[in-house]
Amino acid sequence: MGPREIITIDGPAGAGKSTVGRLLAQSLGYLYLDSGAFYRAVAWQARRLGVSLDDPEPLQAFLKGFAPEVTADDRGFHLVIDGAEVTEEIRSAAAGRDASRVAVQPLVREWVKEHLRHLAKNGGVVTDGRDQGTAVFPGAAHKFYLDASLATRAERRRQDWRQESEPPELTGIMAEIAARDLRDSSRSEAPLRVPEDAVVIDTTDLSIDEVLKQCLARIRGIDSGRLELKPS
Ligand code: DC
């Protein structure tokens, strides 16, 4: 493995990208970037300020003055808007829906891409999302594409439900994720795709440690059976 490389992890909602991305970055001593958090932050702040999520002109004017602060530590990736940490707030299902809406706008994608490239300019980054290996970092040293069955991805979303005491029915979450998959993969601008040179991992029946091991083994060019993981 070369020094301070760029590693991308793409895939649909609930495939395990952010958990694996965070742990992979920790193992390598790299910065973890959650590209979805940028789309969520744009949508969250636009809604708060009453900016239309679907109209390019007001969105462009809003983005000119929008500069969230980004930090990363052992617990992961943090976004601060107007001095307040919004890392948790932007995780809601509503913010995810809004993010998928603004993500169809080319100017929003351009804004996010520029921010990500700036943060990754010195390498040493694990970045996850829907277009990291295809559009944002096509020259990345290692590309992974994580997937899992719709039912498994919905169950994972239900497991980390924190917004209401009672999580919604699994079928409702499945319908929501299927709608988001469709929007993310059918948009004209940088749709969700498997990058040509990506290693595809189906995480349906794998633990996080198993996925992490497979990724680390590919990065280090060794057999995953020979890899011992340090406890995270
Ligand atoms: O990964 P996430 O759930 O936080 O992403 C929220 C939405 O943001 C997702 O439905 C589509 C959009 N997104 C995108 O279009 N491209 C990315 N690289 C990351 C997220």
Side-chain angles (χ1 to χ4, degrees):
M1 150 181 199
R4 317 290 300 161
E5 296 175 319
I6 292 178
I7 298 168
T8 61
I9 307 180
D10 287 308
K17 302 184 301 289
S18 57
T19 310
V20 171
R22 190 171 44 76
L23 293 173
L24 193 56
Q26 228 173 55
S27 305
L28 299 168
Y30 279 15
L31 173 69
Y32 165 61
L33 289 177
D34 171 357
S35 66
F38 283 86
Y39 291 97
R40 287 170 181 266
V42 168
W44 189 81
Q45 182 72 339
R47 189 173 277 288
R48 216 164 65 111
L49 298 179
V51 176
S52 161
L53 302 182
D54 309 301
D55 193 347
E57 268 181 37
L59 266 175
Q60 182 147 40
F62 152 67
L63 283 177
K64 273 201 182 123
F66 184 46
E69 294 160 46
V70 177
T71 55
D73 60 20
D74 287 352
R75 288 174 301 127
F77 186 77
H78 305 269
L79 270 177
V80 174
I81 297 175
D82 292 343
E85 168 135 16
V86 298
T87 313
E88 282 301 316
E89 276 99 322
I90 61 173
R91 305 289 350 142
S92 72
R97 271 193 302 276
D98 284 353
S100 185
R101 251 170 86 185
V102 295
V104 303
Q105 300 286 343
L107 63 103
V108 174
R109 302 208 70 80
E110 202 49 41
W111 183 90
V112 173
K113 184 162 82 180
E114 270 175 30
H115 274 72
L116 293 169
R117 286 186 176 167
H118 177 71
L119 289 164
K121 66 181 186 306
N122 297 321
V125 159
V126 177
T127 177
D128 89 51
R130 310 283 194 288
D131 62 344
Q132 300 302 282
T134 49
V136 181
F137 300 107
H142 301 281
K143 298 181 185 179
F144 297 97
Y145 185 92
L146 305 189
D147 207 348
S149 72
L150 179 58
T152 300
R153 294 190 286 124
E155 184 53 40
R156 288 176 185 160
R157 277 287 179 270
R158 194 159 70 147
Q159 294 283 328
D160 52 38
W161 196 261
R162 285 183 228 116
Q163 308 150 60
E164 290 153 28
S165 47
E166 275 299 303
E169 288 293 318
L170 196 62
T171 46
I173 306 180
M174 280 171 75
E176 164 120 4
I177 291 186
R180 193 126 75 87
D181 285 354
L182 181 67
R183 192 163 43 224
D184 293 344
S185 53
S186 61
R187 65 173 176 239
S188 57
E189 197 76 17
L192 172 65
R193 290 268 182 280
V194 182
E196 265 174 30
D197 41 353
V199 174
V200 179
I201 304 177
D202 183 341
T203 70
T204 306
D205 298 314
L206 297 179
S207 68
I208 295 294
D209 272 4
E210 285 167 324
V211 181
L212 186 60
K213 263 183 154 185
Q214 287 195 22
C215 294
L216 280 170
R218 290 303 289 237
I219 292 165
R220 293 180 177 152
I222 57 174
D223 183 343
S224 66
R226 293 175 33 219
L227 202 77
E228 286 290 317
L229 284 186
K230 280 189 239 141
S232 48

